[in-house]
Amino acid sequence: MDYSAASALMGTVWEQTRVAVMVPGLKMMVRVCLAMSVMLFVERVYMGIVILLVKFSGLCKPKKCYNWEPLQHEDDVDIDIELGNSTYPMVLVQIPMYNEIEVYKLSIGAACRLSWPSDRIIIQVLDDSTDPLIKEMVKTECKRWESEGINIKYEIRENRRGYKAGALKQGLKHTYVHLCDYVAIFDADFQPQPHFLLHTIPFLIHNPQLALIQARWTFVNADECLMTRMQEMSLDYHFKVEQEVGSSAYGFFGFNGTAGVWRLSALNEAGGWKDRTTVEDMDLAVRAGLKGWKFLYLGDLQVKNELPSTFKAYRYQQHRWSCGPANLFRKMAMEIIRNEKVTMWKKFYVIYSFFFVRKIIAHALTFLFYCVVLPATVLVPEVEVPKWGSVYIPSIITLLNAVGTPRSLHLLVFWVLFENVMSMHRTKATLIGLLEAGRANEWVVTEKLGDALKTKSGGKAPRKPRGTIVDRIHLLELGVGAYLFVCGCYDLAFGKNQYFIYLFVQSLAFFVAGVGYIGVFVSNS
């Protein structure tokens, strides 16, 4: 066989395939990505304009838009826990937990210190723990607070069906809950300030159209490592911009599952807790919104909690947070369209902005464009990406995302690289949710470290890896990193786009994540 002839034939076939298939296909993908970029850009600019109007006009301040009167005199700082007061409504406080050995004391203690008459509040600890020792420790902590006069209930169930949604639903079936008008929910790592109920309940009392009051999250371990700083930047944008815009402009936003207070009648009217997706909180919020109920976000009311500080825990959390909304969108899109109780404007906002752009387009664009399509154009020089699509729009979107955390502006480059890495997992999870594939209903409780970080290392997490190096290898990250590195080398040698600087740096970020050298590592000892 003539190898030179075979080689020439293969080269001809490759060239024809490249011209006939790859070039048109890549051009189409570039157009799709540019269209998604414009959609995300318009969404970000719109929200930025709304936030500026809210901040500088002051017209949408909660106490100006809604009735609010304090339940106690401003000078009366403390409520006598021995004295009941019938003017205070009955409030149920639910704390769902699952093997929360590091943080259970923090959450139970914070809930028991809430300023509210002792005979008008019920603390309900919903313990789904599977470890008998942890269950006994939580039960003992509840008994300790009960001995101090706190009306606290320790509740368990036979199985974990429905996970958190199942626990919350089961908790509302107890007879004493029928005495309550409102329910406050705090995850096991959340620590509300004593005045939390005094700031939220009056809004619900004086505004019968309100179903939910949501507080803002702040993070006790944001400075633990670079990964937690990156998370803080992303979540600050969500709370300072997305939730604020939804509350101010539409009276609707996604319930964050914790640090919020529900009107029980609204919760029940919406159909209660359902476990059909892994975002039971968002599911309930959408159903309540379609019933015509309004929500209020209080950005000035902050509740402390803990960010995932290990890469493994963060990946599981992001899978749930990305897969769940996509799966819920699949289940509820037609129901939202057919709904007759809310305006067309609100339906458009929920379907297009809340779900499609933020929960689907944002994830898909970040990975598909910046980690797949843009690098591929290096290998196919016939395909060009205009500067406005590759530089200007991404830069503006990045800056708009970063304004929520000005203290971390110097970390902006790291944040972009980290978000691009995580976009791969979010895109995969989004597809799983849309297709309702195998892991669509996977629920892995986010690992919390609580005070363990301080007690083990004097304030910083130990840098000892858990398990072997094999346990920390992530093949997907390594694969994408290799692809970006090859594209970078080709661009450096033959290309004209000069993308190689970005490609090399981004490939390094994938490699670092691929060997698990991100976040903190806590030893088993």
Side-chain angles (χ1 to χ4, degrees), residues 1-43:
M1 181 178 180
D2 189 345
Y3 288 104
S4 61
S7 178
L9 178 62
M10 290 179 61
T12 302
V13 171
W14 163 249
E15 185 62 24
Q16 291 178 347
T17 302
R18 194 177 69 84
V19 172
V21 179
M22 291 187 64
V23 172
L26 193 56
K27 284 183 176 180
M28 183 188 70
M29 292 304 299
V30 167
R31 286 194 289 268
V32 169
C33 290
L34 290 177
M36 291 193 295
S37 293
V38 171
M39 293 167 65
L40 189 60
F41 173 75
V42 171
E43 173 74 7

Side-chain angles (χ1 to χ4, degrees), residues 277-301:
T277 71
T278 56
V279 284
E280 72 292 324
D281 42 15
M282 186 182 293
D283 187 352
L284 175 60
V286 173
R287 285 185 279 115
L290 294 179
K291 291 289 184 181
W293 289 97
K294 290 187 175 183
F295 307 158
L296 176 62
Y297 172 70
L298 300 180
D300 293 334
L301 182 61

Side-chain angles (χ1 to χ4, degrees), residues 442-463:
E442 180 186 65
W443 182 289
V444 178
V445 176
T446 305
E447 178 188 31
K448 291 107 180 174
L449 300 181
D451 288 334
L453 296 175
K454 295 180 181 179
T455 57
K456 290 179 182 178
S457 57
K460 287 294 181 180
R463 308 302 300 186

Side-chain angles (χ1 to χ4, degrees), residues 46 66 209-212 245-254 284-296 329 333 335-356 358:
Y46 162 72
Y66 296 94
Q209 75 274 30
L210 286 178
L212 166 69
V245 169
S247 176
S248 303
Y250 307 96
F252 171 82
F253 48 81
L284 175 60
V286 173
R287 285 185 279 115
L290 294 179
K291 291 289 184 181
W293 289 97
K294 290 187 175 183
F295 307 158
L296 176 62
F329 180 59
E335 182 180 344
I336 297 169
I337 292 172
R338 291 193 295 262
N339 183 273
E340 297 180 355
K341 288 192 175 182
V342 298
T343 64
M344 287 294 296
W345 178 240
K346 189 170 183 177
K347 285 196 286 187
F348 176 78
Y349 168 74
V350 174
I351 291 176
Y352 175 77
S353 180
F354 181 77
F355 274 115
F356 189 59
R358 296 187 207 167

Side-chain angles (χ1 to χ4, degrees), residues 205-450:
I205 292 175
H206 299 297
N207 302 276
Q209 75 274 30
L210 286 178
L212 166 69
I213 309 296
Q214 172 73 58
R216 178 184 150 201
W217 299 2
T218 55
F219 313 105
V220 297
N221 65 330
D223 292 325
E224 191 60 49
C225 61
L226 186 59
M227 191 183 77
T228 53
R229 289 290 293 270
M230 303 301 98
Q231 292 178 66
E232 181 191 38
M233 293 178 70
S234 299
L235 287 170
D236 276 352
Y237 179 82
H238 169 68
F239 282 103
K240 293 182 179 181
V241 178
E242 291 179 344
Q243 296 294 72
E244 193 77 68
V245 169
S247 176
S248 303
Y250 307 96
F252 171 82
F253 48 81
F255 174 43
N256 294 115
T258 178
V261 186
W262 277 92
R263 187 187 301 274
L264 270 170
S265 59
L267 190 153
N268 293 327
E269 184 186 339
W273 295 103
K274 295 184 179 181
D275 59 4
R276 56 181 176 172
T277 71
T278 56
V279 284
E280 72 292 324
D281 42 15
M282 186 182 293
D283 187 352
L284 175 60
V286 173
R287 285 185 279 115
L290 294 179
K291 291 289 184 181
W293 289 97
K294 290 187 175 183
F295 307 158
L296 176 62
Y297 172 70
L298 300 180
D300 293 334
L301 182 61
Q302 303 175 12
V303 180
K304 295 187 293 184
N305 74 105
E306 180 182 328
L307 292 164
S309 52
T310 66
F311 189 45
K312 179 181 179 181
Y314 187 57
R315 289 176 80 207
Y316 277 127
Q317 183 201 68
Q318 291 303 296
H319 174 85
R320 189 172 77 246
W321 285 8
S322 302
C323 179
N327 192 229
L328 182 62
F329 180 59
R330 169 194 171 106
K331 295 180 186 306
M332 293 201 68
M334 292 309 300
E335 182 180 344
I336 297 169
I337 292 172
R338 291 193 295 262
N339 183 273
E340 297 180 355
K341 288 192 175 182
V342 298
T343 64
M344 287 294 296
W345 178 240
K346 189 170 183 177
K347 285 196 286 187
F348 176 78
Y349 168 74
V350 174
I351 291 176
Y352 175 77
S353 180
F354 181 77
F355 274 115
F356 189 59
V357 176
R358 296 187 207 167
K359 310 302 181 186
I360 298 175
I361 292 297
H363 302 328
L365 173 68
T366 304
F367 178 65
L368 187 63
F369 191 31
Y370 305 117
C371 300
V372 178
V373 174
L374 197 63
T377 61
V378 169
L379 307 175
V380 185
E382 294 92 337
V383 181
E384 293 186 3
V385 179
K387 279 287 188 286
W388 63 264
S390 62
V391 178
Y392 303 140
I393 281 184
S395 298
I396 294 173
I397 291 175
T398 299
L399 290 173
L400 289 174
N401 274 277
V403 294
T405 315
R407 80 183 189 102
S408 297
L409 283 175
H410 63 291
L411 300 174
L412 202 55
V413 171
F414 295 102
W415 179 79
V416 170
L417 298 174
F418 179 67
E419 283 294 293
N420 286 350
V421 172
M422 292 309 303
S423 70
M424 179 183 66
H425 297 288
R426 294 175 184 139
T427 301
K428 183 179 71 170
T430 299
L431 289 174
I432 290 173
L434 287 173
L435 300 175
E436 207 160 21
R439 293 179 61 198
N441 294 310
E442 180 186 65
W443 182 289
V444 178
V445 176
T446 305
E447 178 188 31
K448 291 107 180 174
L449 300 181

Side-chain angles (χ1 to χ4, degrees), residues 79-91 116-122 149-151 179-180:
I79 294 177
D80 187 347
I81 63 171
E82 301 296 332
L83 247 130
N85 192 330
S86 60
T87 62
Y88 288 78
M90 283 291 294
V91 177
W116 206 255
S118 60
D119 64 340
R120 309 301 293 172
I121 187 172
I122 303 172
I150 301 298
N151 187 2
L179 302 172
C180 300

